[in-house]
């Protein structure tokens, strides 16, 4: 998984590829939880996310 994240793929893409290539069903939420636990343990896996773990900002239409 870390090699896929190093290409800045999102957990949604990783989940889909695991299902297609290995017939393993892992939800994107499970992957996000794993990344969060690893971050809290002092890891740097979250920095490989496309937005480095930051939430998306949505602009409000006026």
């Amino acid at each position: 998984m870390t090699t896929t994240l190093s290409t800045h793929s999102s957990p949604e893409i990783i989940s889909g590829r695991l299902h297609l290539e290995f017939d393993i069903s892992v939800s994107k939420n499970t992957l996000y939880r794993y990344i969060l636990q690893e971050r809290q343990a002092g890891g740097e896996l979250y920095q490989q996310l496309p937005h480095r773990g930051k939430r998306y900002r949505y602009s409000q239409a006026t």
Side-chain angles (χ1 to χ4, degrees), residues 13-29:
I13 294 172
I14 295 170
S15 175
R17 290 191 65 192
L18 284 172
H19 184 67
L20 288 175
E21 294 180 15
F22 303 106
D23 200 29
I24 298 172
S25 295
V26 178
S27 73
K28 64 179 181 167
N29 293 331

Side-chain angles (χ1 to χ4, degrees), residues 4-46:
T4 307
L5 271 178
S6 66
T7 61
H8 298 288
S9 296
S10 68
E12 291 89 354
I13 294 172
I14 295 170
S15 175
R17 290 191 65 192
L18 284 172
H19 184 67
L20 288 175
E21 294 180 15
F22 303 106
D23 200 29
I24 298 172
S25 295
V26 178
S27 73
K28 64 179 181 167
N29 293 331
T30 301
L31 293 174
Y32 276 115
R33 275 195 308 271
Y34 173 77
I35 293 169
L36 178 63
Q37 289 173 354
E38 198 261 347
R39 180 179 184 176
Q40 291 172 343
E44 297 179 355
L45 189 59
Y46 72 95

